[in-house]
Amino acid sequence: MSTNENTESNESRDRGKAPAGERIADWADGRLGIYSLAKANMRKIFPDHWSFMLGEICLYSFIIIILTGVYLTLFFHPSMNEVEYHGSYVPLQGQLMSEAFSSTLHISFDVRGGLLIRQIHHWAALIFLAGMFVHMMRVFFTGAFRKPREINWLFGFLLFVLGMFTGFTGYSLPDDLLSGTGVRFTQGAILSMPIVGTYISMFLFGGEFPGHDFVARFYSIHILLLPGIMLGLVVGHLILVFYHKHTQFAGPGKSNKNVVGMPLLPVYMAKAGGFFFLVFGVIGVIAGIAQINPIWAMGPYRPDQVSTGAQPDWYMGFAEGLIRFMPGWEINIWGHTLVLGVFIPLVLFGVLLAILALYPFIESWVTGDKREHHILDRPRNAPTRTALGVAWVTMYMIMLVGGGNDLWATHLHLSINSITWFVRIFFIAGPVIAYVVTKRICLGLQRRDRDKVLHGRETGTIKRLPHGEFIEIHEPLSQEQLHTLTAHEQYEPAAIGAAVDDNGVERKVKGKEKLRAKISGAYFGEDQQIPKPTAEEYKEITSGHGHH
Amino acid sequence: MKKLSARRRHPLAALVVLLLALAATGGLYAAFAPASKAQADDTAQSLAIDEGKKLYAVGCASCHGTGGQGTSDGPSLVGVGAAAVDFQVGTGRMPAATSQGAQVPSKKVIYTQAEIDQLAAFISSLGAGPSVPTDAEYGPEGADIAKGGELFRTNCAQCHNFTGKGGALTKGKYAPTLEGVDPKHIYEAMQTGPQNMPSFPDTTLSEQNKKDIIAYLHAVNSDETNNPGGLELGGLGPVSEGLFAWIFGLGALIAVAVWVAARTAKAKKS
């Protein structure tokens, strides 16, 4: 901001000594080229919408996690050496525990601000993951993952998955009874892998579980490897957002070729900077009032102990759910056991995430659309995508219910067995019901939009005509509203190309092509979307034939 | 002797005799009273058994049988001991409702402690069993809290959660929360193993162990428990924390985002 003004005023002014700010900027420009960088980017436009700030919540909580995490590393000892506790938490005094656990107690009770920083770190992690989930859903339901943003969708997806594993490794570091149970659970999942499972487990834990290595290893992964990759991905994610420019919702003056909004400097920067402090503030308040992961109440990990209510943090809850509702099947072949009860959930875990990663590519294959899209869809205008998304989220939520089945049972006075059966049935049926219902709702909303465009808004004013008929007065929409409601495109279902080519030679229609036509029909076929009103229809209705 | 007889008509002689007599009576009473009290207790015991039997006939016999031998509706009470009665009736679990769910819940206690003691006396007269513990057994003196924590995590946390918040069992049964439960009842529960709970007789968990566990529970799950981190969120672990993060954490942040987005610099006022 200041640099721009200064260069302009510089020319009109006689050549005195330039102000200090300008001299510093000149110095930096000579070495970093900041003028051209600033010129290119300072007026970068960002559209305003609250849902476009979800990604910022994630970015800021990520920064908060890094800052608080650095503080925690100053006091944490990633060691599994056994020590006797003599700190200030009385109910554990004299107990044997690992150094990791004892140093976490030390952070919680004896380091100034330690407990608050720990709680900020942990709450921020939960919020980071929740923010990414919602951000991803926003991108999904508005179709912001379409060309040219598929790679950025993958970056975001990787951030979510790596965030899950970073969270998991961090949650395991204190070596408390809860997280130790979670590590044991993970080791069980690894062991269930045919052939390689035992080897991976032995490699990861440096021998039999729990061994003496996993805390130190998880520590390296948690503070170095995964956050390093994530930081790189975050930077890449942001560079791509700059490069692609932000998407926007349809509206008057907004097209696929422009971005309408506020410039990066000063407006957006001020808002984003302020928002960072708001995010920090909210997380700080939550960490100040609500306790999280009270490891002192859980006690040190010992493989012979376990507690009920042993769940992972929420982002791993769906995996917990998969294990909890999966029947305990296993096959014994030639002295080898294949634990399907654990292995199938492990596979499903990967499949459910992979679907999420691949969806942009699946949709672009179905639509065959190779154009760039910078205008967002309203979810109702892409009913099949929206329905598929809601089905996925439903499945995810059902798994979360399964993961907390014991708490549902105790708090709603239900039988845990009934809940498990409910989850088993609705793991399949829930997404189907959600798909159908969502699609119906979307189509209903499309019809309503169509009705509003053609007949105007219902005013609620009832008029009685001279001959006694009552009618409701409909108020025509403004030009802007008409544009917004009809700006979306509608695809035609893909047809299978002619079975005979120009020369009359029969060609073989590939199965893939048939499949694509079928899926495309499900997306865009008859009754899968409501044709949006055309200008002709609008003219005909509004050309004053007397009826509303 | 002469001196004494010479003064026997002294005006204060009667007073001296009276004092001596009083002292002798008091001394004798003091010497013999415990014995005579014990004598009286025996009758009180049999009285209590009689009273207990009457209470039993009215409130318990329909399910547990007229002689405590048990029926298809309730188990035999021969040999369960006074501790079991004191726990079951003292926590309101007994008498159970005629139709209950998967498990008999604790309810409002309908008998007074005196009546419970009478019932307990009657039941323990049916066969030997664990007696009601005394304050010295479950009180906090000489308890090792940290040891209690270790024992709790080894023996109890599987069902009752890390700090005794309770948990789910199969088919609607549950391990109840241990918050606000009388230490005596916790002791009796360990001793007698009510409902789905295994029993932990002194051979498994010694008297000292039980005392330690009770002291631990008092330290981590009572009104006096101090949660250094703030709101405990039920003490249920990551599920309630996750819900809280979603609703209050992300919820608040989205509200803030909406607020920030609604306050934008505008080129033109609309």
Side-chain angles (χ1 to χ4, degrees):
Chain A
M1 176 83 193
S2 60
T3 51
N4 252 355
E5 280 175 4
N6 283 345
T7 43
E8 276 168 31
S9 59
N10 202 21
E11 289 161 20
S12 57
R13 206 175 50 213
D14 56 298
R15 311 247 165 216
K17 203 176 180 191
E22 189 180 328
R23 273 182 286 136
I24 292 168
D26 271 336
W27 185 90
D29 181 51
R31 285 149 186 87
L32 299 168
I34 56 165
Y35 283 171
S36 54
L37 256 177
K39 202 172 174 190
N41 294 314
M42 263 179 13
R43 303 302 289 177
K44 200 92 186 171
I45 296 298
F46 282 91
D48 251 332
H49 192 270
W50 68 267
S51 70
F52 301 162
M53 300 171 81
L54 292 167
E56 280 180 60
I57 296 179
C58 309
L59 177 66
Y60 302 150
S61 41
F62 185 57
I63 293 171
I64 293 165
I65 292 169
I66 291 178
L67 292 177
T68 49
V70 169
Y71 186 76
L72 295 175
T73 60
L74 305 179
F75 305 99
F76 179 71
H77 301 172
S79 153
M80 294 178 82
N81 291 341
E82 203 169 49
V83 293
E84 203 178 298
Y85 182 69
H86 292 292
S88 42
Y89 186 66
V90 176
L92 282 173
Q93 276 170 2
Q95 288 288 295
L96 293 176
M97 56 185 63
S98 67
E99 242 187 294
F101 187 80
S102 134
S103 66
T104 313
L105 287 178
H106 179 70
I107 290 171
S108 305
F109 294 109
D110 302 311
V111 171
R112 190 171 296 273
L115 183 57
L116 180 66
I117 298 289
R118 245 197 82 212
Q119 296 202 149
I120 292 178
H121 190 71
H122 205 139
W123 280 121
L126 295 195
I127 288 169
F128 176 46
L129 267 299
M132 282 200 281
F133 190 90
V134 178
H135 176 52
M136 213 162 178
M137 292 302 115
R138 195 283 292 172
V139 169
F140 181 89
F141 287 115
T142 58
F145 55 77
R146 290 172 296 172
K147 191 185 170 188
R149 297 183 177 79
E150 299 100 320
I151 304 290
N152 222 12
W153 168 265
L154 284 183
F155 279 15
F157 168 79
L158 280 176
L159 279 168
F160 182 66
V161 174
L162 291 179
M164 279 165 46
F165 285 99
T166 314
F168 172 75
T169 46
Y171 154 96
S172 307
L173 288 184
D175 200 25
D176 57 287
L177 187 50
L178 179 63
S179 74
T181 309
V183 176
R184 181 57 144 171
F185 172 107
T186 310
Q187 193 235 359
I190 292 170
L191 282 179
S192 78
M193 281 188 240
I195 304 167
V196 295
T198 325
Y199 295 94
I200 295 180
S201 168
M202 287 289 185
F203 172 70
L204 189 64
F205 291 93
E208 286 289 351
F209 180 89
H212 296 281
D213 293 329
F214 87 80
V215 168
R217 291 178 179 186
F218 279 23
Y219 186 64
S220 297
I221 295 171
H222 177 72
I223 70 156
L224 189 67
L225 180 65
L226 294 180
I229 300 173
M230 286 178 77
L231 201 59
L233 284 171
V234 165
V235 172
H237 198 73
L238 292 177
I239 289 175
L240 282 180
V241 169
F242 259 76
Y243 174 66
H244 293 141
K245 300 176 192 67
H246 208 287
T247 50
Q248 58 188 344
F249 281 107
K254 299 177 183 178
S255 79
N256 212 23
K257 295 203 165 66
N258 70 2
V259 190
V260 179
M262 291 297 162
L264 178 65
L265 274 170
V267 179
Y268 200 76
M269 217 55 198
K271 281 179 97 163
F275 193 45
F276 170 77
F277 290 106
L278 285 168
V279 171
F280 208 154
V282 167
I283 292 175
V285 166
I286 283 175
I289 60 174
Q291 178 167 288
I292 190 163
N293 198 23
I295 50 134
W296 54 89
M298 288 148 190
Y301 181 58
R302 265 176 43 177
D304 63 330
Q305 295 176 341
V306 71
S307 165
T308 187
Q311 270 106 353
D313 278 348
W314 79 263
Y315 44 84
M316 284 290 183
F318 77 107
E320 175 85 20
L322 278 170
I323 294 272
R324 285 193 184 200
F325 70 72
M326 178 73 202
W329 297 337
E330 61 178 48
I331 305 174
N332 286 290
I333 330 160
W334 303 301
H336 294 279
T337 307
L338 187 60
V339 191
L340 294 176
V342 183
F343 185 59
I344 290 176
L346 188 68
V347 171
L348 282 176
F349 175 84
V351 169
L352 285 163
L353 291 174
I355 290 173
L356 204 59
L358 296 178
Y359 184 81
F361 304 97
I362 297 170
E363 193 183 297
S364 79
W365 173 66
V366 170
T367 58
D369 189 350
K370 303 281 180 255
R371 295 167 302 160
E372 292 204 350
H373 291 276
H374 300 291
I375 294 285
L376 297 171
D377 282 328
R378 295 171 85 204
R380 69 184 62 173
N381 291 331
T384 304
R385 176 206 297 151
T386 304
L388 285 172
V390 172
W392 190 93
V393 173
T394 306
M395 197 178 235
Y396 190 90
M397 292 299 159
I398 293 281
M399 288 187 278
L400 281 184
V401 170
N405 57 1
D406 54 339
L407 294 173
W408 288 95
T410 49
H411 285 73
L412 300 179
H413 303 288
L414 296 168
S415 156
I416 197 168
N417 305 57
S418 316
I419 294 169
T420 302
W421 271 105
F422 169 87
V423 170
R424 281 173 187 171
I425 293 166
F426 279 85
F427 178 68
I428 308 293
V432 175
I433 295 168
Y435 179 89
V436 173
V437 169
T438 310
K439 199 148 185 178
R440 286 294 114 198
I441 292 173
C442 286
L443 294 179
L445 289 170
Q446 280 192 19
R447 278 198 195 88
R448 183 162 159 272
D449 283 350
R450 181 185 158 84
D451 201 52
K452 265 163 80 176
V453 167
L454 293 180
H455 303 287
R457 186 178 68 86
E458 292 175 0
T459 58
T461 311
I462 306 292
K463 191 161 89 175
R464 189 182 178 194
L465 298 180
H467 57 274
E469 184 191 353
F470 287 97
I471 58 160
E472 184 181 6
I473 295 173
H474 286 236
E475 187 184 12
L477 298 186
S478 68
Q479 201 63 37
E480 285 84 9
Q481 287 168 312
L482 288 176
H483 171 79
T484 308
L485 289 184
T486 54
H488 60 284
E489 290 182 30
Q490 292 188 314
Y491 290 101
E492 291 293 318
I496 299 173
V500 186
D501 72 8
D502 295 341
N503 301 324
V505 179
E506 212 170 297
R507 85 188 165 95
K508 203 169 169 225
V509 180
K510 284 188 206 143
K512 203 174 149 192
E513 203 175 342
K514 281 188 198 159
L515 179 70
R516 185 180 157 225
K518 208 164 186 180
I519 298 175
S520 183
Y523 265 79
F524 311 114
E526 217 177 318
D527 295 337
Q528 308 303 324
Q529 54 187 1
I530 306 299
K532 69 175 185 179
T534 58
E536 293 77 50
E537 279 178 299
Y538 181 73
K539 272 195 201 103
E540 197 190 319
I541 282 188
T542 51
S543 61
H545 293 303
H547 48 254
H548 49 274
Chain B
M1 223 36 205
K2 227 176 180 170
K3 254 183 191 171
L4 198 66
S5 74
R7 289 192 169 87
R8 72 180 196 276
R9 289 185 193 280
H10 191 273
L12 288 176
L15 192 66
V16 171
V17 170
L18 187 67
L19 280 172
L20 281 173
L22 275 174
T25 319
L28 279 173
Y29 182 79
F32 291 104
S36 56
K37 198 185 174 192
Q39 200 81 29
D41 213 48
D42 259 350
T43 46
Q45 182 70 19
S46 63
L47 215 90
I49 292 172
D50 281 348
E51 286 301 312
K53 191 170 184 177
K54 283 180 202 156
L55 287 167
Y56 178 87
V58 174
C60 320
S62 57
C63 297
H64 291 289
T66 45
Q69 76 279 18
T71 71
S72 56
D73 293 330
S76 163
L77 301 181
V78 177
V80 299
V85 178
D86 192 62
F87 174 83
Q88 299 282 2
V89 185
T91 60
R93 284 180 170 80
M94 287 293 142
T98 43
S99 72
Q100 73 248 347
Q103 181 170 322
V104 181
S106 80
K107 300 182 294 285
K108 193 168 166 287
V109 182
I110 59 167
Y111 290 96
T112 63
Q113 189 58 48
E115 288 169 330
I116 294 169
D117 292 343
Q118 288 164 351
L119 273 171
F122 169 66
I123 296 299
S124 52
S125 76
L126 299 178
S131 57
V132 177
T134 62
D135 189 48
E137 284 168 287
Y138 54 75
E141 298 82 23
D144 181 346
I145 295 176
K147 179 74 184 162
E150 187 191 345
L151 288 165
F152 189 83
R153 286 189 289 277
T154 308
N155 296 292
C156 321
Q158 302 94 310
C159 302
H160 286 287
N161 148 307
F162 299 98
T163 53
K165 302 292 180 193
L169 302 175
T170 53
K171 315 229 172 194
K173 290 175 292 210
Y174 56 91
T177 173
L178 304 178
E179 194 173 349
V181 179
D182 190 329
K184 179 178 74 166
H185 292 144
I186 297 178
Y187 193 102
E188 288 164 348
M190 288 190 270
Q191 192 80 291
T192 62
Q195 302 201 40
N196 306 296
M197 183 164 160
S199 67
F200 297 88
D202 291 347
T203 45
T204 312
L205 273 182
S206 68
E207 197 183 305
Q208 180 62 35
N209 289 162
K210 291 192 179 80
K211 185 196 262 283
D212 293 345
I213 287 175
I214 289 166
Y216 170 74
L217 279 173
H218 182 75
V220 299
N221 192 8
S222 70
D223 298 340
E224 288 160 46
T225 304
N226 178 23
N227 286 306
L231 297 175
E232 195 190 24
L233 307 180
L236 300 168
V239 173
S240 54
E241 289 163 4
L243 267 179
F244 192 85
W246 269 91
I247 295 168
F248 295 100
L250 197 65
L253 287 173
I254 288 176
V256 170
V258 171
W259 179 74
V260 170
R263 264 147 198 80
T264 187
K266 277 192 179 123
K268 54 164 190 169
K269 289 273 177 226
S270 52

